[in-house]
Structure formats: structure tokens, C-alpha cells
Amino acid sequence: MVSTADLGRWNAELVLGRLYDRRARSNAELARRTGLSRSTVERALDLLAERGLVAKSAPVALPSGRPAALYRLRPEAGCLVAVDVGAHTVRVRVDDLAGPGGAEHEPEPVRVDPADPADKRLAAVDALVDRALAEAGAGAERVRAVTVGTPGIVDAGGTVVACRVIRSGDWVGSRLRSRVAERFPGAAVTVDNDANLAVLGEQRFGVAGGAREIVAVFAGRRVGFGIVHGGRLHRGAHHQAGEAANIRDSWWGRANDWLRGHQDVAPQLFAAAADGQAEALEQTAELGRLLGMAFAEVVHTVDPELIVLGGAVSLAGAAVLDPVAEHFKRACRDTTAPPLVLSTLGRRPVLLGAAESARRTAFTHLLDGHPAGAHPYEPAGTYPYGDGGRRPHPLDADGDGQSTDREREAPYLPDNTPPGSLR
């Protein structure tokens, strides 16, 4: 049974999600946007103000009606760090808590090598984080949450269980999470698979805005995909969802082999295909065939409403998308084939997804009244109270186990904002 306290916290999450756009809004406007009553919104705003997240203005004149106070998220409440640690590139972004489009700081990416030892790769992360925080004028004590994306299978505790594309041999394990947690002892730290974060980036900032059943495929030097099911990120029981390229004789495995075999020339090849060069079009047509068949496998198992194609392959545009769509529709036969769309986020979907993940984690912990460094990984379907007990989360009333702190995405689903906008 859902308690009054549970509903109050849930309502506060809904209000938070509607304030995360750097705009000041009245109680009445928030009530319209959330579907809650004005009195319920007022109680939610009181809780957010108590947590130091919301500022209230003096009454101001509005286009219609009486003067009213306006509410906004306080950027000074803290900041978020997002990190994308790839096999070849490290990217970092720092945002404040008031919403994207404001004080984000994203230095130039740093190149790394797949064979670099973990210490060298982590040093590159440290240096880039230092640069981003310096640009933001923020110290480590202001960081509320950090999310790091990495290739490979990452378990619920943030341990890298397996990783084939970072070849140093010492990337597997808990070193990544431990290093970040030691550096930011006052922040909630999350480590997740890069494709999982990328689909969050597409859902919040990209062409998948508003969709609840999404497969986002990212192909460059390898291929993988992330899944949003029922509006929530789906990782699977062992956090292995989307790792179909590990099946060597599958269409995913064959597409992955093609990408690995062309990895030294892939960027130039995709650019040449986009320019219409015949030889490049012929080579990428084979990749299109493999991906089209692989996408059909997903339709027959996951049945998404939308498939997004991103990564370096998306830079080839229609030169790759057209053959993918042709083979995809043919393979789907009599079943309904969902739309295929190219990502508009370039090489940044993982980084943007990490920023979104960090935001959700930070807001969750601040609403829970956690001290700023509380551990983000909680038993499925529960969340902590100040008395030290654990009770079911209202979003997990069916006991499906999908409402851990990392998986509680439902309150932050995109609304009808046009795809691609930074809300």
C-alpha cells in the first residue's frame, strides 16, 4: 500500500522534472504541466525548498490572472559530472542542477588508446574532469552526482565485469568506480554501460523524446544497443541486455566483425559514402545489410516503437540508413516494422545520457534526504527513509524490482517537448 509520504515524494519528483529547464514557473503552471492539484504542487515545492533545490520569487505580474510567485531550480545547489570513457576517447561534461542550456562545461575530448593501461586512462579522466570543473568554477565539494559510461558489461554495483574493446587487461573490476568515489566522497557515483547511457541521451535530448519503447543502436568501431522498455532503461537480470554482438554467428556478431575489420578506415569510409563515392557506397551497403537483419532480430524479440541508429555510422546518413531500412523491412516480412531514424547527437549521446543519469541520481538522493555521499545502489523495489528502514517505492507497487535508485526513471520521462531540444 502506498503511504502519504511516498506519494508526497513522488509528486516532488514530478515537479522537479518539470522545473528542469532553467525557467521560472508559477504554481498554476506546474499544476497544469504535472496534472497535480495546486495544493499538491505547493506541498511538493515546500519539500523541494526544504532540500535547498528550489528558490521562490516575490509575487510578479503575469500575462493573465493575479500576481504570483515563481519557482525555479537553484543552480548553486550543486553540480553534476558526466564522463564517457571510450576505448579511443574520453569526454567530460559538468552541469549545474538547474537544467541544461546553462552552465554546462564540456572541454575538448582527449584521445586514448585501447591498449592504454587503466592508470593512464584514469589519469586522462582526472585531467579532463579537473579542466571541466575549473571552467565551471566549482570544487569537488559541490559535486552532487557523477555518472561514468564505459564499454562492456557493468553490474549493479558499478563493477566492470567484462570489456573486450579496452584491451589493457586491467580495466575489468571495480577500479573505475573506486577511483571516482575516492575523488568525490560527497557525491553519488554511478558507473554504467555506455550503450545504456546513450539510449537515455536519445530519450532525453534526441530524436526519441517522448517514446517509451526504444532501441538505440550505436555503431562505430563496434556495435551495441540500449533498450528503454515501458519508459525505463532495461538492463536485464545480469546487466547484459544489448550485448548481442557477443554472439559471433548472429547478425549482430557479423556486423560487429565488419566494423572491427574496417575500424582503421571507418570514419573516412562513412564520410566518402556520405559524399556518394561509388566504392564506399558498395562497402557500406554490406554493413547496411548486416545491420538491417540484426534490427529485424530486435523487432521480433523487443518490439520497439522506434529504432535509433547512432555512432560514427550515422555520419554516413542515408548512404547507410537506406540499405539498413531496405533489408530491415524485408526481414520483418509481415510484422510491423518500426521507424528507423538517425541520431542527431553526433558523438555525444553517451555523455548526454551520463549527464541525465547524474541528474536523476542527484535528485533522487536529495529527495531521499541522503547525506550527499550515500551509496546509489539499493535493493530492488525499495528506497531508504530517515529512520533507517526500507519501504516499497510507490513506482514499484507491482513488485517488479525496477525501482532502485538507478532505475527510477519514470518520474523524468520526457513530455511533448520537440525531439532534440535541451529542456
Side-chain angles (χ1 to χ4, degrees):
M1 182 176 180
V2 178
S3 71
T4 302
D6 294 342
L7 288 175
R9 184 190 179 288
W10 184 18
N11 293 335
E13 290 184 358
L14 290 173
V15 172
L16 261 179
R18 297 303 179 259
L19 281 173
Y20 191 68
D21 60 4
R22 311 196 79 82
R23 289 182 56 189
R25 302 183 186 277
S26 67
N27 183 316
E29 184 180 359
L30 288 168
R32 288 194 300 271
R33 287 173 61 84
T34 61
L36 303 173
S37 70
R38 293 179 65 173
S39 60
T40 298
V41 169
E42 184 173 2
R43 287 192 295 271
L45 289 168
D46 287 343
L47 174 60
L48 296 174
E50 177 187 326
R51 295 287 191 265
L53 288 169
V54 166
K56 178 181 178 180
S57 75
V60 298
L62 300 176
S64 62
R66 298 177 178 178
L70 298 180
Y71 299 86
R72 64 171 178 83
L73 292 180
R74 299 174 62 245
E76 60 271 23
C79 60
L80 312 169
V81 175
V83 183
D84 172 13
V85 187
H88 297 265
T89 310
V90 175
R91 292 179 169 86
V92 170
R93 176 186 174 98
V94 172
D95 292 276
D96 63 37
L97 289 181
E104 69 267 20
H105 299 273
E106 192 175 318
E108 284 296 314
V110 171
R111 300 288 297 174
V112 289
D113 188 272
D116 283 344
D119 285 342
K120 185 174 181 179
R121 194 174 302 274
L122 291 171
V125 171
D126 286 342
L128 205 54
V129 168
D130 284 342
R131 195 179 311 163
L133 287 173
E135 290 179 3
E141 72 284 351
R142 287 196 58 216
V143 176
R144 296 287 191 173
V146 183
T147 294
V148 184
T150 177
I153 297 172
V154 183
D155 71 14
T159 296
V160 181
V161 176
C163 182
R164 296 184 177 182
V165 296
I166 295 178
R167 302 193 298 269
S168 59
D170 58 356
W171 193 245
V172 170
S174 60
R175 179 183 296 189
L176 172 58
R177 189 186 187 284
S178 296
R179 176 75 161 260
V180 177
E182 288 171 3
R183 171 146 193 202
F184 297 101
V189 175
T190 302
V191 177
D192 207 341
N193 168 266
D194 53 2
N196 288 340
L197 295 176
V199 74
L200 287 186
E202 293 293 345
Q203 185 190 38
R204 181 72 185 196
F205 303 116
V207 293
R212 295 179 58 83
E213 303 288 342
I214 311 163
V215 169
V217 179
F218 297 90
R221 291 182 171 89
R222 59 189 175 90
V223 64
F225 58 92
I227 303 167
V228 167
H229 174 58
R232 296 179 182 178
L233 182 60
H234 176 74
R235 298 181 176 87
H238 304 97
H239 287 235
Q240 297 172 169
E243 298 292 332
N246 289 331
I247 307 173
R248 293 297 300 273
D249 290 332
S250 69
W251 291 108
W252 290 103
R254 294 168 192 168
N256 199 58
D257 288 344
W258 189 100
L259 290 166
R260 292 182 65 181
H262 294 80
Q263 62 180 320
D264 293 336
V265 297
Q268 298 84 355
L269 187 61
F270 297 142
D275 288 340
Q277 297 181 24
E279 184 177 350
L281 287 170
E282 182 177 349
Q283 293 186 61
T284 55
E286 172 61 12
L287 175 62
R289 182 182 75 87
L290 297 172
L291 287 176
M293 299 300 291
F295 288 9
E297 291 179 343
V298 165
V299 168
H300 289 288
T301 52
V302 179
D303 190 23
E305 63 182 285
L306 179 72
I307 297 179
V308 181
L309 177 59
V313 169
S314 67
L315 303 179
V320 167
L321 186 65
D322 288 350
V324 169
E326 176 187 350
H327 291 283
F328 170 63
K329 291 177 180 178
R330 187 183 304 165
C332 286
R333 297 183 180 178
D334 298 328
T335 57
T336 300
L340 300 181
V341 294
L342 289 174
S343 172
T344 59
L345 301 182
R347 301 181 184 275
R348 299 166 64 241
V350 177
L351 188 63
L352 292 173
E356 172 65 1
S357 170
R359 175 186 74 87
R360 295 175 180 184
T361 301
F363 285 168
T364 292
H365 282 251
L366 288 166
L367 283 175
D368 283 342
H370 285 188
H375 199 283
Y377 305 106
E378 304 291 352
T382 65
Y383 69 100
Y385 277 71
D387 60 9
R390 310 198 63 82
R391 306 172 193 172
H393 189 275
L395 300 182
D396 194 32
D398 61 357
D400 66 1
Q402 297 299 306
S403 295
T404 61
D405 285 351
R406 290 185 70 193
E407 295 175 325
R408 203 178 308 147
E409 280 92 16
Y412 303 116
L413 291 178
D415 56 18
N416 294 324
T417 301
S421 62
L422 293 176
R423 297 191 294 117

